[in-house]
Structures are given as C-alpha cells and as structure tokens.
C-alpha cells in the first residue's frame, strides 16, 4: 500500500469497545477488519499510530449514537478527518438484517470510500451545553406532568374531587393541603404524590433559571433575542429552538432549514 494513499476507517462505537475496519482509496483495495479496541484515549492513539504506517491520510467515520461526539472531537483535535453519520441515512441492502459490530465497521469504511455517506452536524461544545440544559428542562417538565397525572389519578380513584375551576393554581393548592384520605396508608401515598409534584416543580424552576442565566453569555444569544421578536415566542422556546438547530449558517437556503 502506498504511503501517500488515503485510508478510510470505519468505527462501530460502543460504551467499552470500538470495532474497526479500514479500506484504501485504491479501487482494487479490499476492506479489512482491524478488530476491536478499547475506548480510552490511549487505545485511540495506538490505533492511529498503526494506521498511519499504512497511509498518510486517515479519514474516520462512525454512526451518531448514545456515545455522543467525544470521539469526533478527539480525532479532529489530533488533526484527523472524521465524519459522524446518521444511521437512518446509511444505505442498506433490501433483506439484509444481519447486524454485527464487525459488519457495521466494514460497511462504514466501504461506504465512506464510495461517497455514499452524509455527515451530520456536530455542535460546538458550548452549543451542546446549552442544548443539554434545555433537554434537562424538558425532562423535568415531562416528570412534572407524570407526577401530576399520578396524583390526579389517585384522587379520582378514591372519588376525591376538586370542584374549583383551574388546577394547580393557588386555590387548588390550598385544597390539596386540606385533603384527608380514608386511611392513614392512603394519606401517606397522597402526601408522597404531592411531595413529588412539589419537588419536580422546584427542579423545573431551577433549570429554567439556569437556562436563562447561561444564555446571556452564549455566542448565539443575539439569535435568541431576535427570535423573541416573533409573536408568541418567549425566551425558553427561542433558546430551545436555536440550541437544537445550532449554527444557522450551515443551511444554504430557507428550504433546507425548514426541511431539517
């Protein structure tokens, strides 16, 4: 293999292991399974040293997944080309349902050489941090809704009904504080459900406050403020939208943005 050739390296990344395969740029070259390595930085460094003896230029590719973008950032910081691709956009043969780590790595390397892969957008670390904060707020909101549902279902099951208009307002909260269940055991369950609602409410408020504070120093804060000029778009909605979209300049046309 020529020292000046390009090597396309497919990585099937998991929590504790990475399956590796590579193929040279030459058309007559065959894809080769390197084997499995660990996920420590030392394991990655050892892999790159060995592969650099086979080719001058290394191009890495792996699927986006629960392991995030740490490998992409580590490899690009070292000066290597690296793509992260969406699993849903990887071409697959009809009827091919056999899926192993080795086969996935081989397929990634082969498709990378043929140009059949499309990279996904990898956010900057600070952008991902705001996105994580926004998603944590969404998790807290879902947990709060679930806690409220459990409390209301418990009360309905025991025919304890609130006759007021709106729930979770001061009048409803005062009514909840005066509820007495038929038995001491049920009173304990009721109080735990109420406590869960209160705890999730406080958690949601903390995350919203942190989100609003951190966005003030975010590089995309001007975009967040601009979005709030639209009717009905408040700070939380604007931050969530911009954090999920990332750098808007990556879209060439409004049509691409709306398609995304």
């Amino acid at each position: 293999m020529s020292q000046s050739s390009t090597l396309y390296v497919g990585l099937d990344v998991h929590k504790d292991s990475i399956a590796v395969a590579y193929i040279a740029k030459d058309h007559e070259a065959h894809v080769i399974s390197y084997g499995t390595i660990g996920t420590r930085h030392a394991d990655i460094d050892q892999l790159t040293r060995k592969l650099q003896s086979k080719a001058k230029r290394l191009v890495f590719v792996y699927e986006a997944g629960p392991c995030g973008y740490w490998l992409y950032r580590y490899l690009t910081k070292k000066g290597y080309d690296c793509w992260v691709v969406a699993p849903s956009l990887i071409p697959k043969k009809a009827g091919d349902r056999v899926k192993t780590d080795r086969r996935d790595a081989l397929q990634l390397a082969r498709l990378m050489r043929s140009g059949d892969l499309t990279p996904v957008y990898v956010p900057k670390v600070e952008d991902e941090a705001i996105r994580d904060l926004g998603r944590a707020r969404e998790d807290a909101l879902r947990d709060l809704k679930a806690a409220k549902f459990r409390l209301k279902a418990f009360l309905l099951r025991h025919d304890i009904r609130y006759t007021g208009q709106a729930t979770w307002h001061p009048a409803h909260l005062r009514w909840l504080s005066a509820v007495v269940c038929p038995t001491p055991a049920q009173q304990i369950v009721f109080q735990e459900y109420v406590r869960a609602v209160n705890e999730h409410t406080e958690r949601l408020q903390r995350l919203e406050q942190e989100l609003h504070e951190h966005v003030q120093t975010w590089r995309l804060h001007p975009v967040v403020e601009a979005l709030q000029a639209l009717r009905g778009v408040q700070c939380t909605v604007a931050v969530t939208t911009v954090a999920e979209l990332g750098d808007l300049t990556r879209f060439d046309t409004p049509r691409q943005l709306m398609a995304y």
Side-chain angles (χ1 to χ4, degrees), residues 180-194:
V180 177
C181 295
T183 68
Q186 290 169 332
Q187 187 69 23
I188 291 174
V189 173
F190 167 74
Q191 291 173 349
E192 288 298 325
Y193 281 148
V194 171

Side-chain angles (χ1 to χ4, degrees), residues 55-68:
K56 184 177 180 180
R57 179 170 176 255
L58 302 178
V59 180
F60 295 89
V61 58
Y62 69 95
E63 295 181 19
C67 293

Side-chain angles (χ1 to χ4, degrees), residues 7-248:
L7 211 62
Y8 297 102
V9 186
L11 306 173
D12 192 56
V13 183
H14 296 278
K15 177 183 176 182
D16 299 316
S17 66
I18 302 175
V20 183
Y22 61 87
I23 188 172
K25 187 177 181 180
D26 308 320
H27 290 293
E28 65 274 8
H30 298 286
V31 63
I32 300 172
S33 176
Y34 178 90
T36 302
I37 65 172
T39 56
R40 299 174 304 170
H41 290 178
D43 299 322
I44 307 301
D45 293 339
Q46 184 180 21
L47 171 67
T48 55
R49 286 195 299 268
K50 290 185 177 180
L51 293 181
Q52 278 183 323
S53 66
K54 303 178 183 295
K56 184 177 180 180
R57 179 170 176 255
L58 302 178
V59 180
F60 295 89
V61 58
Y62 69 95
E63 295 181 19
C67 293
Y69 303 116
W70 71 267
L71 183 56
Y72 168 88
R73 293 182 177 126
Y74 185 75
L75 289 171
T76 53
K77 187 176 180 181
K78 292 286 185 178
Y80 300 107
D81 294 325
C82 183
W83 282 23
V84 183
V85 298
S88 60
L89 298 181
I90 297 177
K92 295 180 175 62
K93 293 181 180 179
D96 185 8
R97 294 184 175 85
V98 179
K99 183 176 176 62
T100 65
D101 297 349
R102 180 178 179 274
R103 281 172 61 96
D104 288 348
L106 292 169
Q107 182 76 342
L108 284 172
R110 188 182 300 111
L111 292 174
M112 187 66 180
R113 186 186 69 169
S114 63
D116 292 323
L117 295 177
T118 303
V120 301
Y121 169 71
V122 178
K124 295 180 179 295
V125 175
E126 56 270 24
D127 296 347
E128 189 177 22
I130 297 296
R131 189 177 69 181
D132 286 339
L133 196 54
R135 289 181 177 180
R137 177 200 165 273
E138 292 176 1
D139 291 339
L141 182 59
R142 281 193 293 268
D143 292 341
L144 175 58
K145 289 181 178 179
K148 288 181 176 180
F149 176 81
R150 294 189 190 101
L151 175 57
K152 293 174 72 174
F154 174 82
L155 294 174
L156 179 61
R157 192 163 63 246
H158 297 288
D159 196 31
I160 302 175
R161 300 174 183 270
Y162 175 62
T163 57
Q165 297 296 323
T167 57
W168 312 115
H169 286 275
H172 181 237
L173 297 178
R174 288 193 297 271
W175 175 81
L176 283 175
S177 64
V179 168
V180 177
C181 295
T183 68
Q186 290 169 332
Q187 187 69 23
I188 291 174
V189 173
F190 167 74
Q191 291 173 349
E192 288 298 325
Y193 281 148
V194 171
R195 184 176 292 110
V197 171
N198 293 335
E199 290 174 351
H200 288 306
T201 300
E202 293 172 0
R203 174 186 164 205
L204 178 62
Q205 292 171 348
R206 289 195 304 269
L207 287 169
E208 288 182 340
Q209 181 179 353
E210 294 292 343
L211 185 64
H212 292 167
E213 290 179 0
H214 281 77
V215 77
Q216 299 298 322
T217 57
W218 189 25
R219 69 183 185 91
L220 296 178
H221 180 242
V223 184
V224 173
E225 287 195 321
L227 278 182
Q228 293 180 71
L230 298 174
R231 183 178 180 180
V233 179
Q234 297 182 353
C235 182
T236 301
V237 175
V239 173
T240 303
T241 302
V242 176
E244 293 294 337
L245 289 175
D247 190 354
L248 296 180

Side-chain angles (χ1 to χ4, degrees), residues 245-260:
L245 289 175
D247 190 354
L248 296 180
T249 60
R250 66 192 177 98
F251 300 103
D252 296 329
T253 64
R255 185 180 296 274
Q256 289 184 358
L257 171 61
M258 297 311 296
Y260 176 83

